[in-house]
Amino acid sequence: FMGLACAFSTPAAYTFIADSFPKDKASFASSLLGSGVYLGGALSSLSILLDKEFGWQGALQIIAVFGLVSAATSFVLLPDDSKEKGMEDNSAGTLTVEDNNSVQNDISSSSSPASTSLLSDAKEIISTERIQWLFFASFVRFCSGLCIGVWSAPYFRLAFPDDSSSYAVVNAFIVSICGVSSGLLGGTLADLAGAKSVENSYGDENAGRLFIPVVGSLLAVPAWWFCLHADSFQGAMIWLAIEYLVAECWFGPVVAVLQSNAGSKGGTAQGMFTLAGALGNFAPAGLGLLYGTLNEGTDDSQVLSSLLGYGVCLGYFTSAIGFALSAQAGNSGGNPQSYDVDISKNE
């Protein structure tokens, strides 16, 4: 039930960002929100300390208090929804003719019969070739990241048993510092690449943004491979830090491109994107089944290294191809049903 409740916040949060920030800063804004995932992942290790001190029930109660405080803070600090405010201003007669037309278009779009059907909205979102490749690439990229998240700890415990306690601390540092840095840098570079793409007539703004996930995914291939084949624990951790720095730049640019193309259906599009990530959880489960079959019930770091190496690297390389095809789909015209015009009304 907690996961179900938390899942509602993600589509709303990224849609709110798309509506609230300038289009040329969309990648950075999405990356800034996404950086909270890495900070939260690093801080989650504190739950072990809470469990030892207060027990599992006490730990969950403390976490619940933080959740309530976070929700209350968001309720107080976040501004009103722009569409609701526009409706109030329209009733009070304080809107200009141009603003009134924009608000009425948003209201009519959100209240149309087609928009009330989840299935029809989903079909409309994936009707563009760019979004199709974007979802494919994101799904594969989620699979690679989740395999690392689930299986890296068991692998390093087998490969470097004397450093298992050090790994927990070092990994928390790498995830928080390198993950956040990569996300923020990726968002900034994506916004710059989008502007340069338009300025130099290389393609549209979103094609320039997708250049960053392509490069990041390609660079992650050798970084992860060298991490798994390092001769020492220190060398493995250095390559793991490099892998996080180059690999985690993809999230903000991809969300910005998705929101830009989805327009008024940004919430549904973000929900589908989150679903792609949820489906990616089958990848580490499948890897575990394959690992159990190949090692015949015994722990073998060489077998696990091979599965993680080939599986994750193949996923990174495939996602790079998918992101590149998504960028190219927009440059070649793609599907005429583009929603960039719709979202411009919110700027």
Side-chain angles (χ1 to χ4, degrees):
F1 287 104
M2 184 180 70
L4 180 63
C6 292
F8 283 99
S9 65
T10 301
Y14 284 103
T15 304
F16 176 78
I17 286 179
D19 291 342
S20 303
F21 287 85
K23 186 179 179 182
D24 59 350
K25 302 295 182 184
S27 295
F28 176 77
S30 298
S31 298
L32 188 60
L33 177 61
S35 64
V37 174
Y38 302 104
L39 290 175
L43 291 174
S44 64
S45 58
L46 295 178
S47 62
I48 299 176
L49 302 178
L50 293 175
D51 179 48
K52 291 181 178 179
E53 185 68 23
F54 304 103
W56 69 269
Q57 289 180 323
L60 290 178
Q61 289 170 356
I62 293 174
I63 294 172
V65 171
F66 276 97
L68 291 173
V69 171
S70 175
T73 303
S74 300
F75 179 79
V76 172
L77 296 181
L78 290 179
D80 295 334
D81 182 80
S82 58
K83 294 183 179 64
E84 290 184 1
K85 187 176 185 302
M87 293 171 65
E88 293 174 359
D89 291 341
N90 182 38
S91 354
T94 58
L95 286 179
T96 64
V97 174
E98 182 180 358
D99 290 337
N100 179 58
N101 290 337
S102 178
V103 170
Q104 292 299 331
N105 288 335
D106 283 335
I107 296 172
S108 61
S109 174
S110 62
S111 61
S112 62
S115 66
T116 60
S117 171
L118 180 62
L119 182 60
S120 62
D121 283 357
K123 288 182 178 179
E124 190 172 355
I125 289 168
I126 62 174
S127 63
T128 62
E129 188 179 359
R130 166 167 283 175
I131 296 298
Q132 292 168 5
W133 283 116
L134 195 67
F135 276 138
F136 168 76
S138 299
F139 168 73
V140 178
R141 178 60 184 79
F142 274 126
C143 289
S144 291
L146 289 168
C147 283
I148 292 176
V150 172
W151 286 103
S152 59
Y155 166 74
F156 287 119
R157 187 183 67 249
L158 292 174
F160 307 102
D162 295 335
D163 298 288
S164 57
S165 58
S166 300
Y167 169 76
V169 179
V170 175
N171 183 66
F173 177 82
I174 290 175
V175 172
S176 59
I177 302 300
C178 298
V180 171
S181 299
S182 178
L184 296 179
L185 182 61
T188 302
L189 292 178
D191 288 331
L192 292 175
K196 287 293 183 182
S197 179
V198 174
E199 179 182 340
N200 298 316
S201 300
Y202 295 144
D204 64 357
E205 187 176 22
N206 286 331
R209 285 172 172 159
L210 288 173
F211 175 76
I212 302 302
V214 171
V215 174
S217 297
L218 290 176
L219 291 177
V221 173
W224 178 244
W225 185 266
F226 290 142
C227 173
L228 292 176
H229 294 83
D231 296 328
S232 65
F233 176 75
Q234 291 76 12
M237 292 301 98
I238 290 174
W239 279 112
L240 182 63
I242 294 174
E243 190 273 339
Y244 266 91
L245 281 173
V246 298
E248 302 306 320
C249 62
W250 73 283
F251 196 83
V254 168
V255 170
V257 173
L258 177 64
Q259 290 292 325
S260 176
N261 282 266
S264 61
K265 294 176 175 55
T268 302
Q270 194 63 46
M272 296 169 64
F273 180 78
T274 304
L275 177 61
L279 294 175
N281 283 283
F282 285 104
L287 190 148
L289 290 175
L290 187 59
Y291 175 58
T293 302
L294 294 177
N295 68 359
E296 298 180 350
T298 61
D299 290 332
D300 189 337
S301 62
Q302 293 298 323
V303 174
L304 189 54
S305 173
S306 297
L307 291 175
L308 281 173
Y310 289 111
V312 171
C313 289
L314 179 62
Y316 278 144
F317 186 75
T318 304
S319 67
I321 295 176
F323 289 135
L325 290 173
S326 179
Q328 185 61 34
N331 284 337
S332 60
N335 191 301
Q337 291 181 328
S338 175
Y339 306 111
D340 286 325
V341 175
D342 293 336
I343 200 170
S344 65
K345 295 181 296 185
N346 296 319
E347 295 178 7

